[in-house]
Amino acid sequence: MVVAIHQPEHLPWLGFFNKMANADKLVILDNVQYRKRYFQNRNQILVNGVPKYVGVPVKIDKYREKTIADMEIYLDSEVPWKSKYLKTIAYNYKHYPYFQEFYPFFENLLAEQILSLYELNMRIIMYFAQKLRIDTKVIRASDLSPSGEKSDLILDIAKKSGADIYLSGPSGRDYMDLDKYKRENMAVWFNDFRHPVYTQKGAGEFIPYLSTLDLLMNVGAEQGREVILSGTVITKMP
């Protein structure tokens, strides 16, 4: 059982879905502290040919005391944002090959009154995964009642989710205590995703690390899946 763990990012990049596709189970890390000016409520798309953030406004009062699952989105009546969000996508992608296939999802999604950042992000994540034919089982870390911090927390989540192999992102090398994983007889693999190049309108030179939305608007789901999988580089620890 290969288990990956990842925060529920907004409009995740290609590496998120590559990691998801290479795991049997993905644990959504919803029980850690919300982080301002990160990827939890925003991500980058091409705006007038350059990478710019598009995101949703969240209520950050006492955010240091809240988990990602606790974070609430402002109602449009409180902070008007939905029209700008949709117009940003529409203005910059309306002439792309697959705009008509993917844009209606966002129109319909934002027509709903979703107050939870977690729910909004997961609706987008699961929609992208379905389009990309990634059927990895997804569970919430909070449902496992894990304990510990940083490396210990990740290890406890991996154990409680039934992992034989923990698939980490490359940054795991910076904080994971690999000896503890060995003592628990759990193998560790690192997902050293190598960003592929795809046909990208709107930029003179290819711009990587954008939201997967950019990939889908350019090449569609079938080729998008091939592009994402082509970046797979797994490093298995001895």
Side-chain angles (χ1 to χ4, degrees), residues 51-112:
K52 297 283 187 180
Y53 283 105
V54 60
V56 299
V58 294
K59 299 180 179 180
I60 60 172
D61 182 50
K62 297 181 180 179
Y63 75 92
R64 290 187 177 87
E65 303 171 14
K66 297 178 181 179
T67 67
I68 297 172
D70 296 328
M71 299 304 295
E72 294 184 352
I73 300 168
Y74 277 102
L75 289 169
D76 202 50
S77 59
E78 298 173 306
V79 178
W81 63 273
K82 292 183 178 181
S83 177
K84 180 181 178 182
Y85 186 103
L86 290 172
K87 284 180 179 178
T88 300
I89 294 175
Y91 178 80
N92 290 284
Y93 288 104
K94 62 184 176 182
H95 298 303
Y96 280 54
Y98 293 89
F99 174 78
Q100 293 298 335
E101 178 175 350
F102 295 104
Y103 183 70
F105 165 79
F106 290 93
E107 286 187 307
N108 294 332
L109 181 67
L110 296 194
E112 300 180 37

Side-chain angles (χ1 to χ4, degrees), residues 140-153:
R140 297 178 68 161
S142 57
D143 289 338
L144 301 173
S145 300
S147 60
E149 296 182 1
K150 295 185 179 179
S151 182
D152 289 339
L153 174 64

Side-chain angles (χ1 to χ4, degrees), residues 6-26:
H6 210 292
Q7 293 183 15
E9 295 178 349
H10 187 70
L11 295 173
W13 74 302
L14 280 62
F16 178 100
F17 291 102
N18 178 272
K19 188 178 182 182
M20 183 178 184
N22 281 296
D24 300 307
K25 186 182 292 184
L26 174 66

